[in-house]
Amino acid sequence: MPITMHKMLFIMVSLVMFLSACSTTPVSQRPAVESRDVPVSSPTTESAQTSPVPSQQANPQAMPLPPGESTGTDIPATKPAPAPTNPAVLALLSDAEKYQQQGNMSAAQSRLQRAQRIAPSDPKVYYQLAKAHYELEDFRLAEQVALKGVSYAKGDNTELKRFWLLLADIRTKKGDMAGAKAAREQAARY
Amino acid sequence: MTKHKQSKTKKSKSVFRRLISAKVIISFLLLLTVTGAVTIAILDFRVRSEFEGKRWALPAKVFARPLELYVGAPVSLNDLKIELKALGYQFVDKVSSPGQVAFSASRATLTTRGFHFPDEHEAARQLILDFNGDSLSQIRSADQQSLTLIRLEPALIGGIYPLNNEDRDLIQLKEAPQAFIDALIAIEDRDFYDHFGISPKGIARATLANIRAGAFVQGGSTLTQQLIKNFYLTADRTLLRKMLELPMAMLLEFHYSKDEILEAYLNEVYLGQSGNRAIHGFGLGAAHYFAQPIQELKLHQLALLAGLVKGPSYYDPRRNPERAKTRRNLVLSVLHQQGSITDEEYMLASTAELDVVPAGSSMKEAYPAYIDLVKRQLRREYKDEDLGSEGLKIFTSLDPISQHKAEASLVSTIEDLGRTYGESLAKLQGSMVVTDPQTGEVLALIGDRNTRYQGFNRALDASRPIGSLVKPAVYLTALEQGYTLISELDDSPFSLTLPNQQTWSPKNYDGQPHGIVPMHDALTHSYNLSTAQLGMELGVEKVIDTLKRLGVDRPMDAYPSLLLGAQSLSTLEVASMYQTIAATGFQIPPRTIRTVTDNAGEPLSSYPFQLQQSIDEKPMFLLQYNLQQVTRSGTGRSIYQQLPININTAGKTGTSDQQRDSWFAGFTGNRLAVVWLGLDDNSPMPITGSSGALRAWTRYIAQEPLQSYEPAMPEGIEMLWIDPLSGKLADGLCENATQIPFISGTQPTETAACATPEETFTENPIKRSIDWVKDIFR
């Protein structure tokens, strides 16, 4: 599993880097673009809907940290693992699920759209949205939404697996057998 | 012979006349009776069928997005103030009824009005909101329960009117405050509940008053007669029409209750004019004069509204405040005399100010450019007459807070530039589009420096050369074809003979050629010579294809000058192009409308999130990276004089030929904004994209809740340290090494002299990561 190994290393590296950045790194000597993940402050505005995706330097994106590995207060708030889903979004998603089961797709849709506006980079929202379009047999849109979701799920293997399995189903229904096979293979990687 | 014949005829005629005259009279009387009966029957039929089936042509109502409140919502206390001002809330010390708010240092206590959303009813309730800087930290109900998610009512931001331009906002009788009904009846028709449609008492009283005054000071028309006049007889006021008024009023009273008649009156009455929009009904009247629902008005305001009926223009409280006050106080004194209000209420109300909001402060006219776009999108599916008459409700994504900030930023920048450059920029114009880059929703739109101007909408209709805004399409085409960000480009002068025999020899902005440059530098600093040569190599057609995949949906001519931005686009088209870049190759068409419902709130159509991937995410990621360099160290770097450096932004400046257009298109994690500045007569200007549009952009973004732009790195991208001198792989030991992303397989394989060959990063990711750490501790 060279990829996972690689990713783990990056995470560790980025953690160390944050620590060091707070103390000694001569930020200004590096080209400006590369210094972007050196925290200046930890803005409070970025609480709930901050993209969980760290900068390129600390890539691959935000694998969830084991709880024990929290490195204390020096870790800036700007680079968390995937942000926990906001309770407001969770409430909307569970409402949407309920309506979906009752077959009230328009009520489900409106909840999902609200959830997306509040948390436009939360993969959970895209998963459910893609699923809703799948059930409405709008396979083209379902596939696109799921693909978008994949990009927000980077680093979250459970979520990625879920997305690729859904994509395999969508593509099968679409009649895209080669695409479905590729999606299943992707899913198997996680 | 002729004579004889004549006398004979005369004789027979007179006999004939005598014989038939009795018949004629009888027939005539019969005819009259029948006609009368038929007329009454017809009138009766008309009165009933029209009253019962009376459906006013109800304008479509256009709403802003409702503000969503939840813990962590990116809303500051100041943002909430902007929102509540747009909603017409009263700022008070202690909240006692809906539509009021009280502020303290970091807390707002308010009572919402509630709203029927298409998906569910949001009840009116008291809320206690606590803020922590730029976000909401706690939401509680009056009994201290914490709440998860609340929607404020959406601001009414416009209407789509029928041909006669009548605007109205229907209310039910029970929604009208009793004090208002009392005032209206007292001043207009005090026998309303006793008469049968016409009031002989009223007519006598009026006649007496008119004789005493020696002039026409009082009319004897009942509310019922006034309603008939407005309802059925508006077209022309001939004597016949006047004669029909009385029987019709009586017929109306015969068939309908006083309450039904009164409710119709409340909604029919004409109350003034706003531009070419006619204000009808007290529901809209309250909004027009006081920017509040009628239920929230105080006695002195209600009395003014009731008083206005007699002459909305003569008593116009904005143009003739003294007359309006006299009229209002007359209403109050009648109420006082008949004992409907106490001494104290009378004193208080009659000494109060008029409390009318200034003309033109209505939110319904505040966003003409945005409403214009909404209408265009609606007209694809709805007929004009339905939009103007069916009472549709249109829920849009306009964000009054973003719109307010965008307007303030654009207008103040235009004014500043006017001051700095004087006459040459006195007539500087501008347009702006703001979207949420992740959902594609249009949050704000400006089409004129006078943001309330209902005319030419530059954001949609001014197509202007986009200058260097086109360059990302050129570079993206190259990246798709295997170029890397460090591919070498030739930035030296060249000339091209065009098919029309003209010579094209572009120049750099600084007039200097830069020799051989790495591709990313050429975009970062917006070099023309290298871009044009790159584009020629790729083929103009290929670049056009890329522009189309980025979402530019219009025919484009494949001239070489397109490579440097000769193509004209509207501000909105540029927004949809950059939207695709921000969303990593997914086209997300800009949307304004979320849902359309009928008058009863039943959804007719909704417009879900749409997207279509049109560009592979890997080359797009490289372009995004390069556009971040533009704002970090290139032509857009002045952004960081105002924004904190931990906020990533990406964007591009654009300046057209001879500086006729100043553009900036850019985005953060949660906002995409495009700004255009220019002169309507297309004159050259003393400003560039950087010194013009970028200033407005930065000023705007700095006021918004900041979210760093952090695109997910797709699989198949390698982030490598590169030695800028040689373009070869570097390591931590190399001076000025720069990190550059590559699509796997396109990265350089040679190692720079400054790095040790066996430590090549690509071959050993573990070693590479360790070196990276070393570098940091160095």
Side-chain angles (χ1 to χ4, degrees):
Chain A
M1 296 277 281
I3 289 165
T4 321
M5 177 98 158
H6 194 138
K7 285 180 181 176
M8 284 304 290
L9 266 165
F10 270 123
I11 291 300
M12 287 167 61
V13 166
S14 57
L15 290 181
V16 175
M17 213 175 65
F18 292 139
L19 284 171
S20 62
C22 294
S23 49
T24 55
T25 314
V27 175
S28 54
Q29 284 180 11
R30 285 226 216 93
V33 177
E34 282 71 37
S35 63
R36 68 180 66 120
D37 63 342
V38 176
V40 165
S41 63
S42 50
T44 49
T45 48
E46 303 205 329
S47 53
Q49 62 286 13
T50 301
S51 160
V53 180
S55 80
Q56 287 95 14
Q57 226 174 357
N59 264 314
Q61 272 63 42
M63 278 178 61
L65 290 172
E69 285 199 22
S70 167
T71 38
T73 50
D74 286 354
I75 297 288
T78 46
K79 300 289 175 268
T85 302
N86 186 294
V89 175
L90 285 178
L92 288 167
L93 291 182
S94 105
D95 270 11
E97 181 115 47
K98 196 180 71 199
Y99 284 114
Q100 224 162 312
Q101 279 162 7
Q102 292 168 3
N104 187 348
M105 298 316 260
S106 81
Q109 267 287 340
S110 80
R111 270 33 169 222
L112 291 172
Q113 304 271 337
R114 272 179 87 186
Q116 191 207 5
R117 284 179 214 120
I118 294 174
S121 50
D122 189 327
K124 284 194 189 69
V125 174
Y126 290 83
Y127 182 81
Q128 222 166 309
L129 202 54
K131 202 132 190 232
H133 290 303
Y134 173 73
E135 276 165 33
L136 286 167
E137 303 194 344
D138 186 346
F139 301 121
R140 184 202 68 81
L141 193 52
E143 182 180 18
Q144 293 297 320
V145 173
L147 285 171
K148 189 78 193 151
V150 166
S151 67
Y152 290 122
K154 290 275 151 62
D156 182 343
N157 289 351
T158 324
E159 202 66 76
L160 283 170
K161 191 180 189 80
R162 211 158 70 116
F163 268 115
W164 284 111
L165 287 174
L166 177 61
L167 276 162
D169 285 350
I170 294 168
R171 288 173 178 173
T172 308
K173 280 280 171 66
K174 243 178 89 181
D176 172 12
M177 294 307 161
K181 184 165 174 279
R184 266 190 301 277
E185 282 165 11
Q186 275 284 348
R189 292 173 55 203
Y190 301 106
Chain B
M1 185 179 156
T2 324
K3 207 176 178 183
H4 175 76
K5 212 175 179 179
Q6 267 182 344
S7 73
K8 199 179 171 187
T9 318
K10 215 175 186 179
K11 197 178 171 189
S12 59
K13 221 178 184 178
S14 73
V15 173
F16 180 70
R17 202 181 278 165
R18 224 172 292 154
L19 263 170
I20 63 158
S21 62
K23 240 183 192 173
V24 167
I25 290 163
I26 292 166
S27 311
F28 181 73
L29 285 176
L30 202 68
L31 191 73
L32 203 69
T33 318
V34 171
T35 314
V38 169
T39 308
I40 296 288
I42 291 173
L43 285 182
D44 187 61
F45 176 76
R46 236 194 106 191
V47 162
R48 277 190 301 146
S49 64
E50 287 197 23
F51 190 84
E52 264 154 46
K54 181 68 185 179
R55 291 172 66 247
W56 282 278
L58 287 183
K61 284 184 184 174
V62 184
F63 293 97
R65 62 94 192 87
L67 183 63
E68 300 265 12
L69 301 173
Y70 52 91
V71 172
V75 180
S76 69
L77 193 71
N78 212 32
D79 291 342
L80 184 73
K81 283 183 184 167
I82 297 171
E83 180 79 16
L84 294 181
K85 246 179 229 158
L87 287 170
Y89 273 55
Q90 284 175 281
F91 292 17
V92 295
D93 292 333
K94 194 163 172 16
V95 172
S96 59
S97 56
Q100 293 184 336
V101 59
F103 289 104
S104 63
S106 65
R107 172 174 295 178
T109 307
L110 65 149
T111 305
T112 66
R113 298 178 178 126
F115 192 82
H116 277 293
F117 285 99
D119 52 354
E120 65 190 341
H121 179 68
E122 192 90 38
R125 65 197 308 168
Q126 190 166 351
L127 299 174
I128 303 162
L129 308 176
D130 287 303
F131 294 84
N132 181 3
D134 287 339
S135 71
L136 195 53
S137 57
Q138 197 177 30
I139 315 174
R140 283 168 299 156
S141 60
D143 55 356
Q144 304 298 322
Q145 298 290 311
S146 66
L147 303 167
T148 314
L149 181 61
I150 297 289
R151 263 181 297 189
L152 288 185
E153 59 273 23
L156 181 61
I157 54 164
I160 300 171
Y161 308 107
L163 282 178
N164 60 11
N165 276 314
E166 277 186 20
D167 189 12
R168 52 167 52 79
D169 194 357
L170 291 190
I171 55 167
Q172 292 179 315
L173 182 59
K174 61 174 191 261
E175 291 173 301
Q178 191 54 45
F180 175 71
I181 300 295
D182 291 346
L184 182 68
I185 287 176
I187 198 71
E188 282 297 322
D189 182 5
R190 71 172 76 163
D191 304 320
F192 177 71
Y193 284 108
D194 305 317
H195 63 62
F196 51 93
I198 52 177
S199 167
K201 244 162 89 185
I203 294 169
R205 199 163 38 231
T207 315
L208 203 68
N210 292 341
I211 291 168
R212 270 195 205 138
F216 186 81
V217 293
Q218 201 175 334
S221 271
T222 62
L223 291 182
T224 321
Q225 280 172 285
Q226 292 180 32
L227 181 61
I228 289 287
K229 225 184 293 177
N230 291 334
F231 234 34
Y232 303 97
L233 308 174
T234 40
D236 51 320
R237 289 191 178 156
T238 59
L239 186 64
L240 178 70
R241 295 269 164 148
K242 190 80 192 151
M243 280 165 60
L244 292 177
E245 186 187 305
L246 298 183
M248 283 176 89
M250 286 154 71
L251 285 168
L252 195 67
E253 290 274 348
F254 180 73
H255 289 293
Y256 302 103
S257 71
K258 290 285 182 187
D259 282 355
E260 286 168 307
I261 292 167
L262 188 56
E263 186 170 286
Y265 182 89
L266 295 183
N267 289 309
E268 173 57 38
V269 68
Y270 171 74
L271 288 173
Q273 199 69 30
S274 176
N276 57 4
R277 189 165 63 99
I279 308 298
H280 280 263
F282 290 105
L284 182 62
H288 178 66
Y289 290 106
F290 306 108
Q292 272 179 285
I294 193 167
Q295 300 93 313
E296 292 174 16
L297 298 186
K298 300 203 182 73
L299 178 62
H300 68 283
Q301 295 167 310
L302 294 171
L304 177 61
L305 267 190
L308 274 178
V309 174
K310 195 180 171 201
S313 166
Y314 186 81
Y315 296 112
D316 184 338
R318 290 175 182 133
R319 279 182 301 154
N320 307 311
E322 280 313 310
R323 275 185 214 159
K325 201 173 243 178
T326 313
R327 177 74 183 160
R328 177 196 74 183
N329 289 352
L330 174 70
V331 175
L332 289 167
S333 77
V334 173
L335 283 172
H336 184 230
Q337 277 163 26
Q338 67 183 35
S340 302
I341 57 174
T342 63
D343 293 349
E344 198 195 341
E345 284 171 325
Y346 175 63
M347 279 306 295
L348 218 64
S350 57
T351 51
E353 291 300 315
L354 285 172
D355 286 342
V356 170
V357 294
S361 58
S362 162
M363 284 299 135
K364 265 193 167 176
E365 284 140 27
Y367 314 113
Y370 194 94
I371 300 288
D372 183 22
L373 179 58
V374 170
K375 279 187 196 164
R376 292 186 202 199
Q377 298 195 341
L378 279 174
R379 282 194 183 122
R380 289 185 211 146
E381 284 173 57
Y382 294 89
K383 285 183 280 182
D384 267 356
E385 59 259 40
D386 291 346
L387 291 172
S389 67
E390 295 299 314
L392 303 183
K393 291 178 185 156
I394 293 141
F395 294 89
T396 74
S397 51
L398 177 108
D399 181 335
I401 302 171
S402 290
Q403 176 80 31
H404 176 87
K405 292 172 178 174
E407 286 177 6
S409 309
L410 184 69
V411 173
S412 68
T413 304
I414 288 176
E415 285 169 357
D416 286 356
L417 290 168
R419 272 191 291 276
T420 311
Y421 293 98
E423 196 49 39
S424 64
L425 291 185
K427 289 184 177 163
L428 184 62
Q429 267 294 355
S431 60
M432 187 164 173
V433 175
V434 179
T435 70
D436 178 332
Q438 304 196 82
T439 64
E441 290 195 323
V442 182
L443 306 178
L445 195 91
I446 304 169
D448 192 294
R449 66 184 287 178
N450 172 7
T451 56
R452 282 177 169 259
Y453 177 64
Q454 302 242 8
F456 187 51
N457 190 346
R458 288 169 191 78
L460 310 186
D461 295 328
S463 288
R464 305 283 298 223
I466 59 172
S468 302
L469 294 189
V470 78
K471 284 178 183 161
V474 179
Y475 288 81
L476 184 59
T477 312
L479 292 166
E480 286 186 313
Q481 294 190 10
Y483 283 74
T484 71
L485 289 177
I486 58 165
S487 293
E488 291 181 342
L489 300 186
D490 181 8
D491 194 66
S492 45
F494 69 97
S495 285
L496 187 74
T497 309
L498 300 172
N500 62 5
Q501 301 311 313
Q502 282 187 330
T503 317
W504 187 52
S505 31
K507 304 233 168 354
N508 277 332
Y509 179 71
D510 61 4
Q512 303 298 314
H514 303 94
I516 300 296
V517 289
M519 202 166 88
H520 68 102
D521 272 356
L523 182 58
T524 303
H525 303 293
S526 204
Y527 297 152
N528 289 337
L529 298 173
S530 40
T531 306
Q533 297 198 63
L534 172 65
M536 299 301 294
E537 218 170 288
L538 298 165
V540 182
E541 292 288 355
K542 286 267 164 46
V543 175
I544 289 180
D545 176 65
T546 304
L547 282 167
K548 290 197 164 149
R549 283 182 295 128
L550 284 169
V552 178
D553 182 21
R554 69 153 73 196
M556 287 173 273
D557 293 321
Y559 299 129
S561 56
L562 174 135
L563 300 168
L564 295 179
Q567 178 64 49
S568 292
L569 295 180
S570 71
T571 324
L572 185 66
E573 284 175 300
V574 171
S576 67
M577 171 182 167
Y578 276 76
Q579 173 80 53
T580 312
I581 299 174
T584 322
F586 284 86
Q587 270 190 39
I588 305 176
R591 287 182 298 162
T592 55
I593 304 168
R594 292 177 175 178
T595 314
V596 178
T597 76
D598 66 12
N599 193 25
E602 279 302 306
L604 297 176
S605 43
S606 61
Y607 302 82
F609 174 59
Q610 286 285 348
L611 75 172
Q612 179 68 46
Q613 189 162 25
S614 56
I615 289 163
D616 187 83
E617 54 185 351
K618 291 189 285 293
M620 192 53 103
F621 182 80
L622 305 193
L623 178 66
Q624 290 166 340
Y625 187 86
N626 204 167
L627 290 176
Q628 294 179 62
Q629 292 180 310
V630 172
T631 59
R632 285 289 173 189
S633 55
T635 52
R637 64 185 178 280
S638 69
I639 284 174
Y640 289 98
Q641 290 167 11
Q642 282 187 59
L643 294 193
I645 65 160
N646 64 327
I647 297 295
N648 293 340
T649 60
K652 186 72 194 80
T653 50
T655 312
S656 69
D657 201 26
Q658 294 189 294
Q659 303 189 184
R660 296 171 197 274
D661 301 273
S662 161
W663 290 93
F664 189 79
F667 43 90
T668 63
N670 57 349
R671 292 288 181 274
L672 180 146
V674 180
V675 178
W676 169 82
L677 297 178
L679 294 160
D680 283 344
D681 65 5
N682 224 2
S683 313
M685 304 186 292
I687 52 169
T688 61
S690 304
S691 59
L694 178 61
R695 285 169 67 175
W697 188 91
T698 310
R699 203 171 275 188
Y700 163 68
I701 289 290
Q703 293 175 59
E704 285 285 16
L706 291 171
Q707 196 174 305
S708 186
Y709 182 67
E710 312 274 1
M713 185 162 83
E715 283 185 29
I717 295 285
E718 307 272 343
M719 195 62 102
L720 300 174
W721 288 99
I722 297 296
D723 169 34
L725 290 176
S726 63
K728 293 176 181 170
L729 290 171
D731 71 7
L733 296 172
C734 293
E735 284 288 312
N736 298 323
T738 311
Q739 253 202 331
I740 301 284
F742 291 89
I743 298 171
S744 301
T746 67
Q747 67 270 43
T749 46
E750 288 179 63
T751 306
C754 56
T756 341
E758 56 268 33
E759 287 185 351
T760 305
F761 294 109
T762 44
E763 287 158 14
N764 188 342
I766 298 171
K767 184 85 178 79
R768 174 182 159 204
S769 303
I770 291 167
D771 282 339
W772 190 0
V773 179
K774 271 194 211 153
D775 170 51
I776 285 152
F777 284 109
R778 196 156 53 100

